[in-house]
């Protein structure tokens, strides 16, 4: 339960930081100026699509927190034999960071109306995300060739389950990223393109955060962090 609590606190902190930038604490009845200007600004402050994506990401965060909790509970048994972390995962992590950075650059370009740079950022993000997935599959292949099969040990099963679930979410994000890229190439309205790019960036940044947490978990660093948090909470 403490693992879930810590993870949810981190998610809540991330969500609170994001919501604080959406003018949710504004009081439109105290604003000065024309009523039409105030209402128009309030409607554009927090699009419904961002709220929906935020709710979905909260659910995904709870899912991975449950996986993390199960991981910690299962590793305490005597038959747990942690598998070595493939060095390729370091490279895959860097590739995913690059993908997230490329999407953030696309967001900046979309806000400035630089369509060519938006297309470049989206294409870079998509290609690096595909490279990340390919790298994950190669890491799986290396482990299976070394004898770390799915059913050989509970630690192996958790590794394939957690990394596979994260990969599926990346694959799902590529579908949305592809639609956004197609819209950028077909001349979609700038406001709509900007929203689509921002949604993709939100999703990608969240998946990057989740992967960093998974990487720390598989590397064994998360255990030390959880022990520190337990001491603070008690």
């Amino acid at each position: 339960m403490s693992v879930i609590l810590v993870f949810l606190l981190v998610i809540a902190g991330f969500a609170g930081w994001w919501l604080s930038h959406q003018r949710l604490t504004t009081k439109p009845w105290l604003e000065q100026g024309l009523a039409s200007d105030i209402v128009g600004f309030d409607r554009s402050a927090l699009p419904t699509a961002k709220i929906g994506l935020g709710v979905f990401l909260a659910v995904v965060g709870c899912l991975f927190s449950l996986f993390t909790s199960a991981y910690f509970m299962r590793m305490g048994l005597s038959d747990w034999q942690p598998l070595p972390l493939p060095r390729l995962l370091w490279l895959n992590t860097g590739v995913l960071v690059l993908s997230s950075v490329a999407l953030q650059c696309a967001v900046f370009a979309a806000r400035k109306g630089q369509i060519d740079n938006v297309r470049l950022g989206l294409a870079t993000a998509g290609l690096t995300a595909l490279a990340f997935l390919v790298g994950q599959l190669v890491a799986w292949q290396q482990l299976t060739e070394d004898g770390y099969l799915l059913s050989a040990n509970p630690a192996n099963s958790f590794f394939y389950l957690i990394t596979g679930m994260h990969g599926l979410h990346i694959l799902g994000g590529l579908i949305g990223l592809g639609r956004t890229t197609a819209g950028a190439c077909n001349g979609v309205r700038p406001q709509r393109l900007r929203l689509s790019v921002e949604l993709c960036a939100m999703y990608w940044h969240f998946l990057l955060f989740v992967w960093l947490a998974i990487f720390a978990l598989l590397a064994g660093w998360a255990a030390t962090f959880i022990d520190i948090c337990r001491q603070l909470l008690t």
Side-chain angles (χ1 to χ4, degrees):
M1 291 298 295
S2 59
V3 177
I4 299 177
L5 179 60
V6 171
F7 193 91
L8 291 180
L9 286 175
V10 175
I11 295 295
F14 178 81
W17 171 84
W18 175 72
L19 291 174
S20 66
H21 290 71
Q22 308 300 322
R23 289 179 54 87
L24 294 183
T25 59
T26 58
K27 300 177 181 180
W29 57 88
L30 298 179
E31 298 286 347
Q32 300 292 330
L34 297 176
S36 58
D37 296 337
I38 297 174
V39 172
F41 182 82
D42 185 65
R43 287 180 179 177
S44 61
L46 190 62
T48 305
K50 287 189 176 182
I51 299 177
L53 180 59
V55 172
F56 174 75
L57 294 182
V59 174
V60 174
C62 291
L63 174 65
F64 279 100
S65 68
L66 292 175
F67 284 151
T68 303
S69 179
Y71 185 94
F72 275 101
M73 289 187 294
R74 189 63 180 83
M75 69 183 298
L77 300 182
S78 59
D79 61 342
W80 183 271
Q81 297 179 2
L83 71 172
L85 198 67
R87 293 183 179 180
L88 184 59
L89 293 187
W90 288 93
L91 177 60
N92 294 346
T93 301
V95 170
L96 190 58
V97 170
L98 179 60
S99 182
S100 185
V101 170
L103 263 179
Q104 188 60 42
C105 292
V107 171
F108 293 149
R111 292 173 179 174
K112 296 179 181 179
Q114 302 172 349
I115 303 301
D116 291 338
N117 290 336
V118 172
R119 295 169 182 168
L120 178 61
L122 293 175
T124 303
L127 291 176
T128 49
L130 285 174
F132 172 81
L133 291 178
V134 172
Q136 295 293 82
L137 292 176
V138 173
W140 280 17
Q141 183 180 7
Q142 292 178 352
L143 289 173
T144 54
E145 290 177 351
D146 292 338
Y148 298 98
L149 303 178
L150 177 65
S151 58
N153 187 268
N156 302 357
S157 302
F158 269 96
F159 176 87
Y160 292 117
L161 172 64
I162 296 176
T163 56
M165 186 62 65
H166 180 266
L168 287 177
H169 283 84
I170 290 286
L171 188 61
L174 281 173
I175 299 176
L177 184 59
R179 295 182 59 181
T180 302
T181 304
C185 295
N186 295 330
V188 71
R189 289 186 296 109
Q191 292 182 350
R192 183 176 180 181
L193 177 61
R194 174 179 171 178
L195 177 59
S196 298
V197 174
E198 289 178 349
L199 292 175
C200 289
M202 283 177 55
Y203 187 79
W204 238 248
H205 297 339
F206 179 82
L207 288 184
L208 173 61
F209 166 77
V210 170
W211 171 249
L212 293 178
I214 292 174
F215 189 79
L217 176 69
L218 299 176
W221 306 330
T224 303
F225 175 74
I226 294 298
D227 290 338
I228 296 175
C229 292
R230 284 176 177 173
Q231 295 176 3
L232 294 176
L233 292 175
T234 56

